[in-house]
Coordinates of all heavy atoms in Angstrom, one line a residue:
M145 N 47.5 -80.7 11.4 CA 48.9 -81.1 11.3 C 49.4 -81.3 12.7 O 49.1 -80.6 13.6 CB 49.7 -79.9 10.6 CG 51.1 -80.2 10.3 SD 51.9 -79.0 9.3 CE 51.6 -77.4 10.1
Q146 N 50.2 -82.4 12.8 CA 50.7 -82.7 14.2 C 52.0 -83.5 14.1 O 52.3 -84.1 13.1 CB 49.7 -83.5 15.0 CG 49.5 -84.9 14.5 CD 48.5 -85.6 15.5 OE1 47.4 -85.2 15.6 NE2 48.9 -86.7 16.0
I147 N 52.7 -83.4 15.2 CA 54.0 -84.2 15.4 C 53.6 -85.5 16.1 O 53.0 -85.5 17.1 CB 55.0 -83.4 16.2 CG1 55.4 -82.2 15.4 CG2 56.2 -84.3 16.5 CD1 56.4 -81.2 16.1
I148 N 54.1 -86.6 15.5 CA 54.0 -87.9 16.1 C 55.3 -88.3 16.6 O 56.3 -88.4 15.9 CB 53.5 -88.9 15.1 CG1 52.1 -88.5 14.5 CG2 53.4 -90.3 15.7 CD1 51.5 -89.4 13.5
N149 N 55.3 -88.6 18.0 CA 56.6 -88.9 18.6 C 56.5 -90.3 19.3 O 57.4 -90.6 20.1 CB 57.1 -87.8 19.5 CG 56.1 -87.5 20.6 OD1 55.1 -88.2 20.8 ND2 56.3 -86.3 21.2
T150 N 55.4 -91.0 19.1 CA 55.3 -92.3 19.6 C 54.7 -93.2 18.5 O 54.2 -92.7 17.5 CB 54.3 -92.4 20.8 OG1 53.0 -91.9 20.4 CG2 54.8 -91.5 22.0
P151 N 54.9 -94.5 18.6 CA 54.3 -95.4 17.6 C 52.8 -95.1 17.3 O 52.1 -94.8 18.3 CB 54.5 -96.8 18.2 CG 55.7 -96.7 19.1 CD 55.5 -95.3 19.7
T152 N 52.4 -95.1 16.1 CA 51.1 -94.9 15.7 C 50.5 -96.0 15.0 O 51.2 -96.9 14.4 CB 51.0 -93.6 14.9 OG1 49.6 -93.2 14.7 CG2 51.6 -93.7 13.5
S153 N 49.2 -96.1 14.9 CA 48.5 -97.3 14.3 C 48.3 -97.0 12.8 O 48.2 -95.8 12.4 CB 47.2 -97.6 15.0 OG 46.3 -96.5 14.7
L154 N 48.1 -98.1 12.1 CA 47.7 -98.0 10.7 C 46.4 -97.3 10.5 O 46.2 -96.5 9.6 CB 47.7 -99.4 10.0 CG 47.4 -99.5 8.6 CD1 48.3 -98.7 7.7 CD2 47.3 -100.9 8.1
E155 N 45.5 -97.6 11.4 CA 44.1 -97.0 11.4 C 44.2 -95.5 11.6 O 43.5 -94.7 10.9 CB 43.2 -97.6 12.5 CG 42.8 -99.0 12.1 CD 42.1 -99.0 10.7 OE1 41.2 -98.2 10.4 OE2 42.5 -99.9 9.9
S156 N 45.1 -95.0 12.4 CA 45.3 -93.6 12.6 C 45.8 -92.9 11.3 O 45.3 -91.9 10.9 CB 46.3 -93.3 13.8 OG 46.5 -92.0 14.0
L157 N 46.7 -93.5 10.7 CA 47.2 -93.0 9.4 C 46.1 -93.0 8.3 O 46.0 -92.1 7.5 CB 48.5 -93.8 8.9 CG 49.7 -93.6 9.8 CD1 50.8 -94.6 9.3 CD2 50.2 -92.2 9.8
K158 N 45.3 -94.0 8.3 CA 44.2 -94.1 7.4 C 43.2 -93.0 7.6 O 42.7 -92.4 6.7 CB 43.5 -95.4 7.4 CG 44.3 -96.6 6.8 CD 43.5 -97.9 6.9 CE 44.3 -99.0 6.2 NZ 43.6 -100.3 6.2
T159 N 43.0 -92.6 8.9 CA 42.1 -91.5 9.2 C 42.7 -90.2 8.6 O 41.9 -89.4 8.0 CB 41.9 -91.3 10.7 OG1 41.4 -92.5 11.2 CG2 41.1 -90.2 11.0
Y160 N 44.0 -89.9 8.7 CA 44.6 -88.8 8.1 C 44.4 -88.8 6.6 O 44.1 -87.8 6.0 CB 46.1 -88.7 8.5 CG 46.4 -88.5 10.0 CD1 47.3 -89.2 10.6 CD2 45.8 -87.5 10.7 CE1 47.6 -89.0 11.9 CE2 46.0 -87.3 12.0 CZ 47.0 -88.1 12.6 OH 47.3 -87.9 14.0
A161 N 44.7 -90.0 6.0 CA 44.6 -90.1 4.6 C 43.2 -89.7 4.1 O 43.1 -89.0 3.1 CB 45.0 -91.5 4.2
R162 N 42.2 -90.3 4.7 CA 40.8 -90.0 4.3 C 40.5 -88.5 4.3 O 39.7 -88.0 3.5 CB 39.8 -90.8 5.1 CG 39.7 -92.3 4.7 CD 38.6 -93.0 5.4 NE 38.8 -93.1 6.9 CZ 39.4 -94.2 7.4 NH1 39.8 -95.2 6.7 NH2 39.5 -94.2 8.7
Q163 N 41.0 -87.8 5.3 CA 40.7 -86.4 5.4 C 41.4 -85.5 4.3 O 40.9 -84.4 4.1 CB 41.2 -85.9 6.8 CG 40.4 -86.5 7.9 CD 41.0 -86.2 9.3 OE1 42.1 -85.6 9.4 NE2 40.4 -86.6 10.4
K164 N 42.5 -86.0 3.7 CA 43.2 -85.2 2.8 C 43.3 -85.7 1.3 O 42.7 -85.2 0.4 CB 44.6 -84.9 3.2 CG 44.7 -84.1 4.5 CD 45.0 -82.6 4.2 CE 45.3 -81.8 5.4 NZ 44.5 -81.8 6.5
F165 N 43.9 -86.9 1.2 CA 44.3 -87.3 -0.1 C 43.6 -88.7 -0.5 O 43.8 -89.1 -1.6 CB 45.8 -87.5 -0.3 CG 46.5 -86.2 -0.1 CD1 47.2 -86.0 1.1 CD2 46.5 -85.2 -1.0 CE1 47.9 -84.8 1.3 CE2 47.2 -84.0 -0.8 CZ 47.9 -83.8 0.4
G166 N 43.0 -89.3 0.4 CA 42.3 -90.6 0.1 C 43.1 -91.8 0.5 O 42.8 -92.6 1.3
N167 N 44.2 -92.0 -0.3 CA 45.0 -93.3 -0.1 C 46.4 -93.1 0.4 O 47.2 -94.1 0.5 CB 45.0 -94.1 -1.4 CG 45.8 -93.5 -2.5 OD1 46.0 -92.3 -2.5 ND2 46.2 -94.3 -3.4
F168 N 46.8 -91.9 0.7 CA 48.2 -91.7 1.2 C 48.2 -90.5 2.2 O 47.4 -89.7 2.2 CB 49.2 -91.6 0.1 CG 49.2 -90.2 -0.6 CD1 50.1 -89.2 -0.3 CD2 48.3 -90.0 -1.7 CE1 50.1 -88.0 -1.0 CE2 48.3 -88.8 -2.4 CZ 49.2 -87.8 -2.0
V169 N 49.3 -90.5 2.9 CA 49.6 -89.4 3.9 C 50.9 -88.8 3.6 O 51.9 -89.5 3.3 CB 49.6 -90.0 5.3 CG1 50.0 -88.9 6.3 CG2 48.3 -90.6 5.7
K170 N 51.0 -87.5 3.5 CA 52.3 -86.8 3.4 C 52.9 -86.7 4.8 O 52.1 -86.4 5.8 CB 52.1 -85.4 2.8 CG 51.8 -85.5 1.3 CD 51.8 -84.1 0.8 CE 51.4 -84.2 -0.7 NZ 51.6 -82.9 -1.4
A171 N 54.2 -86.9 4.9 CA 54.8 -86.8 6.2 C 56.2 -86.2 6.0 O 56.8 -86.4 4.9 CB 54.9 -88.1 6.9
V172 N 56.8 -85.6 7.0 CA 58.2 -85.3 7.1 C 58.8 -85.9 8.3 O 58.2 -85.8 9.4 CB 58.4 -83.8 7.1 CG1 59.9 -83.4 7.3 CG2 57.9 -83.2 5.8
V173 N 59.8 -86.7 8.1 CA 60.4 -87.5 9.2 C 61.7 -86.8 9.6 O 62.6 -86.4 8.8 CB 60.7 -88.9 8.7 CG1 61.4 -89.7 9.8 CG2 59.4 -89.6 8.3
D174 N 61.9 -86.7 10.9 CA 63.2 -86.3 11.5 C 63.9 -87.6 11.9 O 63.6 -88.2 12.8 CB 63.0 -85.4 12.7 CG 64.3 -84.9 13.3 OD1 65.3 -85.6 13.3 OD2 64.3 -83.8 13.9
I175 N 64.9 -87.9 11.1 CA 65.6 -89.2 11.3 C 66.5 -89.2 12.5 O 66.8 -90.3 13.0 CB 66.4 -89.7 10.0 CG1 67.5 -88.6 9.7 CG2 65.5 -89.9 8.8 CD1 68.4 -89.1 8.6
D176 N 66.9 -88.1 13.0 CA 67.7 -88.0 14.2 C 66.8 -88.2 15.5 O 67.1 -88.9 16.4 CB 68.5 -86.7 14.2 CG 69.4 -86.6 15.5 OD1 70.2 -87.5 15.7 OD2 69.2 -85.6 16.2
R177 N 65.7 -87.4 15.5 CA 64.9 -87.4 16.7 C 63.8 -88.5 16.7 O 63.1 -88.7 17.6 CB 64.2 -86.1 16.8 CG 65.2 -84.9 17.0 CD 64.5 -83.6 17.0 NE 63.5 -83.4 18.1 CZ 62.6 -82.5 18.0 NH1 62.4 -81.7 17.0 NH2 61.7 -82.4 19.0
K178 N 63.7 -89.2 15.5 CA 62.7 -90.3 15.4 C 61.3 -89.9 15.6 O 60.5 -90.5 16.3 CB 63.1 -91.5 16.2 CG 64.5 -92.1 15.9 CD 64.8 -93.2 16.7 CE 66.2 -93.7 16.2 NZ 67.1 -94.1 17.1
I179 N 60.9 -88.7 15.0 CA 59.6 -88.2 15.0 C 59.2 -87.9 13.6 O 60.0 -87.8 12.7 CB 59.5 -87.0 15.9 CG1 60.3 -85.8 15.4 CG2 59.8 -87.3 17.4 CD1 60.2 -84.5 16.2
M180 N 57.9 -87.6 13.4 CA 57.4 -87.2 12.1 C 56.2 -86.2 12.3 O 55.5 -86.3 13.2 CB 57.1 -88.3 11.2 CG 55.9 -89.1 11.5 SD 55.7 -90.5 10.3 CE 54.3 -91.3 11.0
A181 N 56.1 -85.4 11.3 CA 54.9 -84.5 11.2 C 54.0 -85.0 10.1 O 54.5 -85.5 9.0 CB 55.4 -83.1 10.9
V182 N 52.7 -85.0 10.3 CA 51.8 -85.6 9.4 C 50.6 -84.7 9.3 O 50.4 -83.8 10.1 CB 51.3 -87.0 9.8 CG1 52.4 -88.0 9.8 CG2 50.6 -87.0 11.1
D183 N 49.7 -85.0 8.3 CA 48.4 -84.3 8.1 C 48.5 -82.9 7.7 O 47.9 -82.0 8.3 CB 47.6 -84.5 9.5 CG 46.1 -84.2 9.3 OD1 45.6 -84.5 8.2 OD2 45.5 -83.8 10.2
A184 N 49.2 -82.7 6.6 CA 49.2 -81.3 6.0 C 49.1 -81.5 4.5 O 49.4 -82.5 3.9 CB 50.5 -80.6 6.3
E185 N 48.7 -80.4 3.8 CA 48.6 -80.4 2.4 C 50.0 -80.4 1.7 O 50.2 -81.0 0.7 CB 47.9 -79.1 1.9 CG 46.4 -79.1 2.3 CD 45.6 -80.0 1.5 OE1 45.9 -80.3 0.3 OE2 44.6 -80.5 2.0
L186 N 51.0 -79.8 2.4 CA 52.3 -79.7 1.8 C 53.4 -80.2 2.7 O 53.3 -80.0 3.9 CB 52.6 -78.2 1.4 CG 51.7 -77.5 0.5 CD1 52.0 -76.0 0.4 CD2 51.8 -78.1 -0.9
H187 N 54.4 -80.9 2.2 CA 55.6 -81.3 3.0 C 56.2 -80.1 3.6 O 56.7 -80.1 4.7 CB 56.6 -82.0 2.1 CG 56.2 -83.4 1.7 ND1 55.9 -83.7 0.4 CD2 56.0 -84.5 2.4 CE1 55.5 -85.0 0.3 NE2 55.6 -85.5 1.5
A188 N 56.2 -78.9 2.9 CA 56.9 -77.7 3.4 C 56.2 -77.3 4.7 O 56.9 -76.8 5.6 CB 56.8 -76.6 2.4
D189 N 54.9 -77.4 4.9 CA 54.3 -77.1 6.1 C 54.7 -78.0 7.3 O 55.0 -77.5 8.4 CB 52.7 -77.1 6.0 CG 52.2 -76.1 5.0 OD1 52.9 -75.1 4.8 OD2 51.2 -76.4 4.4
E190 N 54.8 -79.2 7.0 CA 55.3 -80.2 8.0 C 56.7 -79.9 8.4 O 57.1 -80.0 9.6 CB 55.1 -81.6 7.5 CG 53.6 -82.0 7.3 CD 53.4 -83.2 6.4 OE1 54.3 -83.5 5.6 OE2 52.3 -83.8 6.6
E191 N 57.5 -79.6 7.4 CA 58.9 -79.3 7.6 C 59.0 -78.1 8.5 O 59.8 -78.1 9.5 CB 59.6 -79.0 6.3 CG 61.0 -78.6 6.4 CD 61.6 -78.2 5.0 OE1 60.8 -77.7 4.1 OE2 62.8 -78.4 4.8
S192 N 58.3 -77.1 8.3 CA 58.3 -75.8 9.1 C 57.9 -76.1 10.5 O 58.6 -75.6 11.4 CB 57.3 -74.8 8.5 OG 57.8 -74.3 7.3
L193 N 56.9 -77.0 10.7 CA 56.5 -77.3 12.1 C 57.6 -78.0 12.8 O 57.9 -77.7 14.0 CB 55.3 -78.3 12.0 CG 54.8 -78.8 13.4 CD1 54.3 -77.6 14.2 CD2 53.7 -79.8 13.1
L194 N 58.3 -79.0 12.2 CA 59.4 -79.6 12.8 C 60.6 -78.7 13.1 O 61.2 -78.7 14.2 CB 59.9 -80.8 12.0 CG 59.0 -82.0 11.9 CD1 59.4 -83.0 10.9 CD2 58.8 -82.6 13.3
L195 N 60.9 -77.8 12.2 CA 62.0 -76.8 12.4 C 61.7 -75.9 13.6 O 62.5 -75.6 14.4 CB 62.2 -76.0 11.1 CG 62.9 -76.8 10.0 CD1 62.9 -76.0 8.7 CD2 64.3 -77.3 10.3
E196 N 60.4 -75.5 13.7 CA 60.0 -74.6 14.8 C 60.1 -75.4 16.1 O 60.1 -74.7 17.2 CB 58.6 -74.2 14.6 CG 58.4 -73.2 13.4 CD 56.9 -73.0 13.1 OE1 56.0 -73.5 13.7 OE2 56.7 -72.3 12.1
N197 N 60.1 -76.7 16.1 CA 60.1 -77.5 17.3 C 61.5 -78.2 17.5 O 61.5 -79.2 18.2 CB 59.0 -78.5 17.3 CG 57.7 -77.9 17.6 OD1 57.3 -77.8 18.7 ND2 56.9 -77.5 16.5
G198 N 62.5 -77.6 17.0 CA 63.9 -78.0 17.3 C 64.6 -79.0 16.4 O 65.7 -79.4 16.6
S199 N 63.9 -79.4 15.3 CA 64.6 -80.2 14.3 C 65.6 -79.5 13.5 O 65.5 -78.2 13.3 CB 63.6 -80.9 13.4 OG 62.7 -81.8 14.1
K200 N 66.6 -80.2 12.9 CA 67.6 -79.6 12.1 C 67.3 -80.0 10.6 O 66.9 -81.1 10.4 CB 69.0 -80.1 12.5 CG 69.4 -79.6 13.8 CD 70.8 -80.1 14.2 CE 71.2 -79.7 15.6 NZ 72.4 -80.3 16.0
Q201 N 67.5 -79.0 9.7 CA 67.1 -79.3 8.3 C 67.8 -80.5 7.7 O 67.1 -81.3 7.0 CB 67.6 -78.0 7.5 CG 67.3 -78.1 6.0 CD 65.8 -78.0 5.7 OE1 65.2 -77.1 6.2 NE2 65.3 -79.0 5.0
E202 N 69.0 -80.8 8.1 CA 69.8 -81.9 7.5 C 69.2 -83.3 7.9 O 69.5 -84.3 7.3 CB 71.3 -81.8 7.8 CG 71.6 -81.9 9.2 CD 71.8 -80.5 9.9 OE1 71.3 -79.5 9.4 OE2 72.4 -80.5 11.0
N203 N 68.3 -83.3 8.9 CA 67.8 -84.5 9.4 C 66.4 -84.8 8.9 O 65.7 -85.8 9.3 CB 67.7 -84.5 10.9 CG 69.1 -84.5 11.5 OD1 70.1 -85.1 10.9 ND2 69.3 -83.9 12.7
L204 N 65.8 -83.9 8.1 CA 64.4 -84.0 7.6 C 64.3 -84.6 6.2 O 65.0 -84.2 5.3 CB 63.8 -82.6 7.7 CG 63.8 -81.9 9.0 CD1 63.0 -80.6 8.9 CD2 63.2 -82.8 10.1
W205 N 63.4 -85.5 6.1 CA 63.1 -86.2 4.9 C 61.6 -86.2 4.6 O 60.8 -86.6 5.5 CB 63.6 -87.6 4.9 CG 65.1 -87.7 4.8 CD1 65.9 -87.6 5.9 CD2 65.9 -87.8 3.7 NE1 67.2 -87.6 5.5 CE2 67.2 -87.8 4.1 CE3 65.6 -88.0 2.3 CZ2 68.3 -88.0 3.2 CZ3 66.7 -88.2 1.5 CH2 68.0 -88.1 1.9
G206 N 61.1 -85.7 3.5 CA 59.7 -85.8 3.1 C 59.4 -87.1 2.5 O 60.1 -87.6 1.7
I207 N 58.2 -87.7 2.9 CA 57.8 -89.0 2.4 C 56.3 -89.0 2.2 O 55.6 -88.1 2.7 CB 58.1 -90.1 3.4 CG1 57.4 -90.0 4.7 CG2 59.6 -90.2 3.6 CD1 57.5 -91.2 5.6
N208 N 55.8 -89.9 1.4 CA 54.4 -90.2 1.2 C 54.2 -91.6 1.7 O 55.0 -92.5 1.3 CB 54.0 -90.1 -0.2 CG 54.0 -88.7 -0.8 OD1 53.9 -87.7 0.0 ND2 54.3 -88.5 -2.0
I209 N 53.2 -91.9 2.5 CA 52.9 -93.2 3.0 C 51.6 -93.6 2.3 O 50.6 -93.1 2.6 CB 52.7 -93.2 4.5 CG1 53.9 -92.6 5.2 CG2 52.4 -94.6 5.1 CD1 53.7 -92.3 6.7
Y210 N 51.8 -94.6 1.4 CA 50.6 -95.1 0.7 C 50.0 -96.3 1.5 O 50.7 -97.2 1.9 CB 51.0 -95.6 -0.7 CG 51.4 -94.5 -1.6 CD1 52.7 -93.9 -1.6 CD2 50.4 -93.9 -2.4 CE1 53.0 -92.9 -2.4 CE2 50.7 -92.8 -3.2 CZ 52.0 -92.3 -3.2 OH 52.3 -91.2 -4.0
L211 N 48.7 -96.2 1.8 CA 48.0 -97.1 2.7 C 47.2 -98.2 2.0 O 46.8 -99.1 2.7 CB 47.2 -96.3 3.6 CG 48.0 -95.2 4.4 CD1 47.1 -94.2 5.0 CD2 48.7 -95.9 5.5
N212 N 47.0 -98.1 0.7 CA 46.2 -99.1 0.1 C 47.0 -99.9 -1.0 O 46.4 -100.5 -1.8 CB 45.0 -98.5 -0.6 CG 44.0 -97.9 0.4 OD1 43.9 -98.4 1.5 ND2 43.4 -96.8 0.1
C213 N 48.3 -99.9 -0.9 CA 49.1 -100.5 -1.8 C 49.1 -102.0 -1.6 O 49.3 -102.5 -0.5 CB 50.6 -100.0 -1.7 SG 51.7 -100.7 -2.9
R214 N 48.8 -102.8 -2.6 CA 48.7 -104.3 -2.5 C 50.0 -105.0 -3.0 O 50.1 -106.1 -2.8 CB 47.5 -104.7 -3.3 CG 46.2 -104.2 -2.8 CD 45.1 -105.1 -3.0 NE 43.8 -104.5 -2.7 CZ 43.3 -104.4 -1.5 NH1 44.0 -104.8 -0.5 NH2 42.1 -103.9 -1.3
E215 N 50.8 -104.2 -3.7 CA 52.1 -104.9 -4.2 C 53.2 -104.8 -3.2 O 53.2 -103.9 -2.4 CB 52.5 -104.1 -5.5 CG 51.7 -104.4 -6.7 CD 52.2 -103.7 -7.9 OE1 53.5 -103.7 -8.1 OE2 51.4 -103.3 -8.7
T216 N 54.1 -105.8 -3.3 CA 55.3 -105.8 -2.5 C 56.4 -105.5 -3.4 O 56.5 -106.0 -4.5 CB 55.5 -107.1 -1.8 OG1 54.3 -107.9 -1.7 CG2 56.1 -107.0 -0.5
I217 N 57.3 -104.6 -2.9 CA 58.5 -104.3 -3.7 C 59.7 -105.1 -3.2 O 59.9 -105.3 -2.1 CB 58.8 -102.8 -3.6 CG1 57.6 -102.0 -4.2 CG2 60.1 -102.4 -4.3 CD1 57.7 -100.5 -4.0

């Protein structure tokens, strides 16, 4: 599990996905600080990491990033 605070590559996200879920990555985004925590089994773990590192609860959003999606919405 780690905090990403700079732009990351699609390949990097795919590496995280292969290690855990296959085709997606769980992440929690701090919309105020423009950072995210990735690479955990649970959103709650990523949320805790961000809170321990100065994020505020009201700025956190849990997301799933699907990496093999072929459809456009």
Side-chain angles (χ1 to χ4, degrees):
M145 187 169 51
Q146 71 177 56
I147 294 175
I148 297 176
N149 56 13
T150 59
T152 190
S153 71
L154 181 59
E155 286 307 311
S156 179
L157 293 175
K158 285 182 178 181
T159 299
Y160 295 131
R162 282 191 290 270
Q163 293 171 355
K164 294 262 189 310
F165 301 105
N167 68 338
F168 75 97
V169 175
K170 290 185 179 189
V172 174
V173 178
D174 182 326
I175 60 171
D176 182 56
R177 296 174 63 200
K178 298 180 177 136
I179 62 173
M180 69 179 179
V182 297
D183 198 30
E185 293 286 329
L186 301 171
H187 287 110
D189 294 333
E190 296 162 337
E191 176 186 34
S192 292
L193 178 63
L194 289 173
L195 290 170
E196 290 168 6
N197 283 277
S199 292
K200 295 179 182 172
Q201 181 70 53
E202 62 266 20
N203 296 326
L204 301 182
W205 290 82
I207 63 170
N208 293 330
I209 303 170
Y210 288 88
L211 301 162
N212 295 327
C213 184
R214 299 207 189 282
E215 288 185 35
T216 336
I217 297 174

